[in-house]
Amino acid sequence: MALVALLAPPARAAHEAGRCTAPDELTRFSVALPNTARAIRQGRALVIVTIGSSSTAGVGASDPSHAYPAVLAEELRRRWPRLAVTVINKGVSGEMISEVVGRFERDVLPHRPQLVIWQTGSLAVLGAGDVEAYAAAVRQGIGRLKTARMDVVLMDPQFAPRVLARPLHRRVVDALGAAANDTKVAVFRRFAVMQHWVSSGQYKMDEVVSRDGLHLNDVSYGCIARLLADSLAAAARAVPEEQQDPPRRPE
């Protein structure tokens, strides 16, 4: 009985994990992640850099260990316990896209990650700026990461009251999807996933969004991390070994 108690997850955590679902069509990537797949298959260190603004930094979480990058690292280690997984959080609150892309040289490329998860779009919605210019900057950033032979996953805006209140939100979500499609990178559809939680009755809005009406909380950060880990695992399994990219040459 004591051993069972030690191994069993807390009741709340297990309950939340059970509610944390979304259809495959919302969570599965349409493109491969060859560098990520190779690291997993070869049992080498898997390095992931998460970059973005406050949703990456973890604003709304009770502490840094509940931000999505920290939970993602735990989830990936649970799936591959023999793999050395490192998730480096480079989220900075309040940065616009030009500032984020400007940090790639300092905060992303030196770590030589196999995978970059780039959370973007929320501030573009709230700032009511030029969507075309924003999309062009996204494409520029993707190009820099792909030139460095890194897998890329974009994470689009959150489904939250302050985002929904801005008429621009759908244009930004669609622009991100179009940029990803044109450049052949993956998108984790956070907006659609959270919308599904609310519309299906899995959660009420105030259960997955902080009191500020914008940021996620421990429940939603954890759910996003779990579903993202599932997406990465599925993408890695889907890449035949013969189709994986050759190892990157030192820069």
Side-chain angles (χ1 to χ4, degrees), residues 51-70:
I51 192 163
S53 53
S54 55
S55 289
T56 300
V59 173
S62 58
D63 59 65
S65 70
H66 288 90
Y68 101 78

Side-chain angles (χ1 to χ4, degrees), residues 167-189:
L168 204 64
H169 73 269
R170 176 49 62 185
R171 289 182 61 200
V172 171
V173 171
D174 290 346
L176 274 176
N181 184 65
D182 293 345
T183 57
K184 295 181 173 54
V185 300
V187 181
F188 183 79
R189 299 175 60 193

